[in-house]
Structure formats: C-alpha cells, structure tokens
C-alpha cells in the first residue's frame, strides 16, 4: 500500500508538535522532515535541535531529507536524535563519502535513502542500491515547496523502479515535490511507494480529507 508522508516544510513551524500529531491522527504514515543548509539548495529550513524538540511530541516514523552539502558531517547526529530514515543527496559529495555515510546510517540501526535532483539521471543509483532502503526522486527542484511537478521526472521514476525491481527488491521509491490529488496517480503509476506532500496536506484545513484524497488518487497502482 502507498505511504503518505506529509512534508513539514508546509506546516506551521511554530506549532510543529501539534501539526505532526494532527497529520498522524489524519492517517499519515510517515513525517517528511526537510533539512536545507543554504548551500546545497538556496534555502535554509530546520535542523538538529528541531528534530530533537519534535521527538518529544511525536514518535511518528520520520524520514529526514538532507538537502545538505557533505551530509556525512551531520547524518549520524540525525540518527542519534531519532530519525528513522536519513536520505542524502547523491550530488552532495564524492561517491566514497556517500557510501560511507549510508553505512554509518545503517550502523545506527536507521534506514538509509538516496535522493536525486531532477537533472541527475536515474542510472546513478546502480552502484548505491546495495546500501539503500529507499530512493527519493525529486519531482521538483529541491529548495522550496509549492512548485509544480516536473513531468520528465516520471520517466526517470519508471527507470529507477525497474532498477530497484531487478537489483534491490524491497527498496522503496519516494516521490517528492508537487504531489497533489492530480499528480498522485501519475507518480503512483510510475512506481512510487511513498508520496511526499507538503502543500497538498498542510495548506488544507481538513487534513484527513486531504490525505484520504491523495490515497484514493494514488490507488491506481494498489
Ligand atoms: C522541496 C522538499 C519537498 C517539499 C514538497 O525541496 O524536498 O519535500 O516540501 O512540498 P510540496 O508537496 O508542497 O511540493
Ligand atoms: Zn523533501
């Protein structure tokens, strides 16, 4: 079954604990936690102390998306503070450092993911697959919520899905950016297992209805 992961980038940061609990009660599966360093992307969001505080308010499965240069510097700290999954960008460091980072995340007993920006070809995941629990395909340029999904990313998702099915069955595929009721069927049909949605959930007053609508729209593949 498709998992729905609300991105707290679109939440009210001053009320993060209650926002998280609200989407959990509304039927969300995971919480997507977007970390931006102002260098890998042109935006700065939240980091270690916010995860630490949030952990006091929710034990929801938290998927930390690190849009951070040289993520190995901080990935272990996110694990220590209770991230359930840490996803790093393949473009953020040399391959050897990325592999060490993925191994370190596993050494903490957490799940490890690899994210791809829109311009990065899907085939780059191949040498990393053995270290991965998830591949995150960015369906918008990382840095900001509320953008339109790039249709070209769907073709790439299909390619990544085929590689996963062939070489690492069980590895999840996550779509991130511009996922809403209209685009959910497209990403689900392209092989996504996990749908990240920021504005399509947090901008709505009825979060339960928003999550149910996304789930129903994505059901094409279920
Ligand atoms: C963008 C982030 C996304 C973003 C998605 O860099 O990685 O997780 O919050 O937001 P929406 O769903 O509004 O496009
Ligand atoms: Zn994200």
């Amino acid at each position: 079954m498709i998992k729905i992961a609300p991105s707290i980038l679109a939440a009210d940061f001053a009320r993060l604990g209650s926002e998280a609990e609200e989407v959990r009660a509304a039927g969300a599966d995971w919480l997507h936690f977007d970390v931006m360093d102002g260098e890998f992307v042109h935006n700065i969001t939240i980091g270690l102390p916010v995860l630490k505080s949030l952990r006091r308010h929710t034990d929801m499965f938290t998927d930390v998306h690190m849009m951070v240069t040289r993520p190995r510097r901080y990935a272990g700290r996110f694990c220590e503070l209770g991230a359930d999954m840490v996803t790093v960008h393949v473009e953020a460091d040399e391959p050897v450092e990325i592999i060490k980072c993925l191994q370190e995340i596993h050494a903490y007993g957490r799940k490890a993911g690899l994210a791809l920006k829109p311009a990065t070809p899907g085939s780059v995941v191949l040498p990393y697959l053995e270290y991965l629990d998830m591949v995150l395909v960015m369906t918008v340029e990382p840095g900001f919520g509320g953008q339109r999904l790039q249709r070209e990313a769907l073709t790439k998702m299909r390619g990544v899905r085929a590689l996963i099915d062939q070489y690492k069955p069980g590895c999840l595929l996550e779509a991130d950016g511009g996922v809403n009721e209209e685009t959910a069927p497209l990403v689900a049909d392209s092989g996504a297992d996990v749908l990240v949605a920021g504005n399509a959930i947090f901008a709505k007053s009825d979060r339960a209805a928003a999550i149910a609508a996304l789930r129903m729209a994505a059901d094409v593949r279920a």
Side-chain angles (χ1 to χ4, degrees):
M1 193 163 93
I2 293 259
K3 292 188 196 310
I4 306 288
S7 164
I8 56 171
L9 188 57
D12 178 352
F13 279 132
R15 302 175 46 247
L16 222 40
S18 47
E19 292 276 73
E21 279 308 292
E22 200 183 308
V23 290
R24 182 223 282 271
D29 300 289
W30 291 4
L31 204 57
H32 185 82
F33 189 98
D34 283 309
V35 180
M36 302 186 190
D37 67 350
E39 184 182 334
F40 185 75
V41 289
H42 297 296
N43 200 0
I44 300 176
T45 54
I46 48 176
L48 297 163
V50 178
L51 181 65
K52 188 176 179 190
S53 298
L54 186 64
R55 268 294 172 236
R56 291 200 281 266
H57 298 273
T58 182
D59 63 355
M60 241 179 130
F61 186 98
T62 301
D63 152 33
V64 173
H65 177 192
M66 291 184 72
M67 285 160 275
V68 173
T69 302
R70 289 187 287 123
R72 208 180 153 206
R73 297 176 295 157
Y74 296 105
R77 302 288 311 284
F78 281 107
C79 294
E80 283 166 5
L81 293 176
D84 295 286
M85 159 126 33
V86 177
T87 297
V88 300
H89 268 268
V90 69
E91 309 87 356
D93 208 339
E94 298 300 322
V96 60
E97 290 295 310
I98 295 294
I99 287 175
K100 281 183 189 158
C101 186
L102 298 169
Q103 289 174 320
E104 283 163 7
I105 295 165
H106 280 150
Y108 277 99
R110 310 302 184 180
K111 302 220 178 291
L114 191 70
L116 276 57
K117 290 198 267 196
T120 304
S123 56
V124 304
V125 302
L126 211 44
Y128 299 94
L129 273 178
E130 61 177 301
Y131 307 101
L132 297 179
D133 301 295
M134 187 174 83
V135 177
L136 182 165
V137 171
M138 288 297 316
T139 38
V140 300
E141 202 55 50
F144 299 90
Q147 304 177 66
R148 285 175 73 88
L149 177 135
Q150 300 181 9
R151 300 276 170 137
E152 314 80 70
L154 299 172
T155 313
K156 180 160 96 185
M157 282 189 57
R158 287 182 193 279
V160 173
R161 176 83 256 168
L163 291 176
I164 288 175
D165 289 346
Q166 187 172 0
Y167 297 106
K168 190 69 192 288
C171 178
L172 296 171
L173 179 59
E174 183 177 64
D176 185 8
V179 175
N180 53 36
E181 239 182 288
E182 243 170 74
T183 57
L186 306 177
V187 289
D189 194 48
S190 307
D193 304 294
V194 187
L195 271 50
V196 174
N199 283 276
I201 295 171
F202 283 108
K204 305 276 172 66
S205 54
D206 187 341
R207 274 84 188 262
I211 290 168
L214 281 175
R215 224 184 263 292
M216 203 183 292
D219 234 9
V220 288
R221 202 176 64 93

